[in-house]
Amino acid sequence: KGETAIIVGAGPSLKSAIPALKKRKGGVLLSAIQAAPLLSEHNIEIDFITVADPADFSVFFSKVKKSFKGLFLEASCHPLSFNQFKDKTYVYNIKGDCFHQRLWDFSKKFEITFPLATVSEVQTVIAHSMGIEKFIHIGCDYSWGQDRYSYRPKGFDNAIIPPNRAPFDVLNVHNEIVHTNAGYYHGYRCMNYFFQQDMLKKATHLLFGEGLNFFQANHLDSESLEKLLFSLAPCSQVPKNERNKKKETYNFTCDLLEEVQRIPLKDRNEI
């Protein structure tokens, strides 16, 4: 509580935010796994990494510095993602129709019930659940020009676009024609919906990006972003005697496995 969350997405504008991010003095930085290699390349400290997709992100993990504090994984993430940093992994669930949903329902653990489309909304919801009410969104563009993900590590094929994700044109914050698709546009609409709900209505949102502007977010230029990040106070540390207690509260991995063992065998097979 009282901290500022820096939500870092993997949009094209992330590259132009690197100089400002290097000046950061405080806040809690949550980075999408797709953006984490670029931050690590420039020695920018990451607090938490978030994975919301079932793809194999091994090539991204191989380029991330290991000093971050925690890794948030959606319950349906690729198995290799769960093998990366077991001691730092925290599992969350976005309610849906995946095969594991019934098991998660049985465990009675907290879950995200919003119809989220991209990792940017996921990180915003997670940060808010931590008690954060001030957000700086960086690289959360929801649209792109010609140079979409040129900074991504080689070896990750992002060229295959499902038919329902075919690109279409929109106007960005600079009144320029850019591209988006149904998934990203839904994410943009989700963020605007959040701002109208009690959950995030009182929160402060600042946006640095080249894409679609959130209705109720103030738009930052490079100079304003740099000054703001430099002015943030260092994040308060959790006392050592409280860390284990905190981890038991949020780390669902071991708890969920124990729940499975307690399910009667006939019910476990049914699930």
Side-chain angles (χ1 to χ4, degrees):
K1 284 193 173 184
E3 303 292 350
T4 297
I6 303 160
I7 307 295
V8 179
S13 66
L14 176 58
K15 289 187 296 185
S16 55
I18 292 299
L21 284 166
K22 287 183 174 181
K23 301 289 182 66
R24 178 174 79 98
K25 294 293 184 182
V28 181
L29 193 151
L30 293 87
S31 170
I33 182 60
Q34 297 93 324
L38 184 65
L39 299 181
S40 291
E41 179 185 335
H42 290 277
N43 297 313
I44 295 168
E45 184 179 353
I46 301 171
D47 294 305
F48 297 98
I49 293 175
T50 307
V51 182
D53 301 297
D56 177 9
F57 286 105
S58 298
V59 64
F60 287 78
F61 282 114
S62 68
K63 297 181 181 297
V64 173
K65 292 190 176 179
K66 315 302 188 268
S67 57
F68 63 90
K69 300 179 179 68
L71 172 64
F72 296 129
L73 295 180
E74 210 281 330
S76 61
C77 281
H78 195 285
L80 290 178
S81 295
F82 285 91
N83 291 333
Q84 297 292 335
F85 304 98
K86 293 182 179 179
D87 60 327
K88 298 182 178 183
T89 296
Y90 301 84
V91 182
Y92 66 93
N93 181 56
I94 299 175
K95 190 174 181 63
D97 56 1
C98 293
F99 69 92
H100 65 271
Q101 183 62 51
R102 190 171 176 190
L103 177 59
W104 197 275
D105 290 342
F106 186 90
S107 73
K108 295 182 173 58
K109 301 296 183 185
F110 168 80
E111 62 186 358
I112 299 173
T113 57
F114 303 100
L116 307 181
T118 76
V119 68
S120 297
E121 301 99 80
V122 171
Q123 294 192 114
T124 302
V125 172
I126 289 176
H128 185 268
S129 72
M130 292 175 163
I132 292 174
E133 293 187 346
K134 185 172 183 180
F135 301 83
I136 302 173
H137 302 269
I138 298 173
C140 305
D141 300 310
Y142 294 107
S143 66
W144 58 91
Q146 298 302 317
D147 184 21
R148 186 179 181 186
Y149 296 132
S150 61
Y151 57 83
R152 283 191 169 186
K154 294 180 179 179
F156 187 83
D157 184 8
N158 197 51
I160 301 174
I161 301 176
N164 66 334
R165 293 292 183 98
F168 58 88
D169 293 343
V170 292
L171 292 176
N172 67 5
V173 294
H174 305 299
N175 211 33
E176 302 166 334
I177 296 177
V178 291
H179 312 298
T180 187
N181 63 35
Y184 286 101
Y185 195 72
H186 174 68
Y188 157 71
R189 293 173 66 191
C190 266
M191 291 300 292
N192 286 313
Y193 173 78
F194 287 165
F195 295 161
Q196 300 170 31
Q197 305 308 305
D198 290 339
M199 185 188 83
L200 289 173
K201 199 170 187 178
K202 297 179 181 178
T204 301
H205 292 268
L206 304 172
L207 174 66
F208 176 85
E210 301 168 355
L212 302 172
N213 197 1
F214 308 148
F215 295 149
Q216 298 183 29
N218 294 319
H219 193 74
L220 296 167
D221 57 26
S222 297
E223 184 179 351
S224 300
L225 177 65
E226 184 173 315
K227 288 180 179 178
L228 180 59
L229 294 178
F230 184 78
S231 68
L232 294 176
C235 182
S236 58
Q237 298 294 316
V238 178
K240 287 185 178 181
N241 61 345
E242 291 290 320
R243 288 179 186 174
N244 289 336
K245 186 191 301 183
K246 295 284 184 183
K247 191 166 185 178
E248 290 170 5
T249 303
Y250 296 109
N251 190 341
F252 301 149
T253 310
C254 295
D255 292 345
L256 192 56
L257 292 175
E258 291 172 5
E259 293 285 358
V260 172
Q261 297 304 319
R262 285 198 286 268
I263 299 174
L265 185 59
K266 61 182 182 64
D267 295 334
R268 198 186 315 169
N269 290 337
E270 184 183 341
I271 291 173

